[in-house]
Amino acid sequence: FNLADVFSYESLVHAVAGAMVSDFRGWIGAALSLSLSLSAVDEARKARSTPAVLTEIIREEGILAPYRGWFPVICSLCCSNFVYFYCFNSLKVVWVKGQRSTPGRDLLMGIVAGVVNVLMTTPLWVVNTRLKLQGAKFHNTDIRPTHYAGILDAFRQIVRAEGVLALWNGTLPSLLLVLNPAVQFMIYEGLKRQLMRGAHREV
């Protein structure tokens, strides 16, 4: 085990590339993410489908309302994907060094990277969800509106009012979902190996 393999330039490049792609995806999916969050939190809404919720938000709050809280979303996506890609590629360098990679090993690395990612970035997603829903017009009167000045203020208020562990709310369901990106990476790595073998044969 060599620390230089973990803190390598190659791992950093993969992590930055993954983070940049996630930012682009975040811009596209911000409106959908808000509609899904509102559907889950505000059970009193009559509209249940994503297009219907989006239409309702725009009608009630304006055309820019679906992009409320876009900055926390972009920050969370960027950090989350940076951590995931960095962990996955560092593990690949350490575990596969001098050996032949296998689908089983790729899946295990994806799961470990996913677990590390969830444990490190769940607080960001908790704050992100709170900020994203701030200012929304809830149909359920039992939901109390929040007033956060920004990301740091949200962290501070949540810790003061609910305790530090509140930042890791929803960790267990997130851990159960790490298999999804792990399987994607396993298939991606397998296809990449097959294509590289095909290219070498042609040469």
Side-chain angles (χ1 to χ4, degrees), residues 138-159:
F138 294 111
H139 293 199
N140 186 347
T141 54
D142 292 332
I143 299 175
R144 290 184 300 175
T146 55
H147 302 283
Y148 303 127
I151 295 175
L152 294 179
D153 184 53
F155 270 110
R156 187 165 51 249
Q157 287 196 44
I158 292 169
V159 170

Side-chain angles (χ1 to χ4, degrees), residues 48-66:
R48 301 309 300 173
S49 68
T50 300
V53 173
L54 274 176
T55 303
E56 195 172 69
I57 293 169
I58 292 170
R59 186 174 63 249
E60 293 178 354
E61 305 175 46
I63 196 167
L64 295 179

Side-chain angles (χ1 to χ4, degrees), residues 24-150:
F24 178 73
R25 187 183 65 188
W27 278 102
I28 297 172
L32 294 176
S33 176
L34 176 62
S35 66
L36 289 171
S37 297
L38 274 175
S39 297
V41 173
D42 194 1
E43 297 174 355
R45 282 186 180 271
K46 293 180 180 178
R48 301 309 300 173
S49 68
T50 300
V53 173
L54 274 176
T55 303
E56 195 172 69
I57 293 169
I58 292 170
R59 186 174 63 249
E60 293 178 354
E61 305 175 46
I63 196 167
L64 295 179
Y67 289 91
R68 179 177 51 246
W70 64 270
F71 184 70
V73 172
I74 296 300
C75 288
S76 300
L77 274 173
C78 184
C79 292
S80 181
N81 280 276
F82 183 92
V83 170
Y84 189 91
F85 277 83
Y86 198 100
C87 286
F88 184 87
N89 286 282
S90 295
L91 288 169
K92 190 163 75 169
V93 170
V94 173
W95 286 359
V96 186
K97 191 174 184 179
Q99 303 177 50
R100 185 177 178 179
S101 186
T102 63
R105 190 170 287 168
D106 291 334
L107 180 63
L108 183 59
M109 289 187 297
I111 291 172
V112 173
V115 169
V116 172
N117 176 39
V118 167
L119 295 177
M120 288 184 67
T121 64
T122 291
L124 280 173
W125 288 110
V126 170
V127 169
N128 163 58
T129 302
R130 301 284 185 95
L131 289 170
K132 188 166 52 180
L133 297 177
Q134 183 169 257
K137 293 183 178 178
F138 294 111
H139 293 199
N140 186 347
T141 54
D142 292 332
I143 299 175
R144 290 184 300 175
T146 55
H147 302 283
Y148 303 127

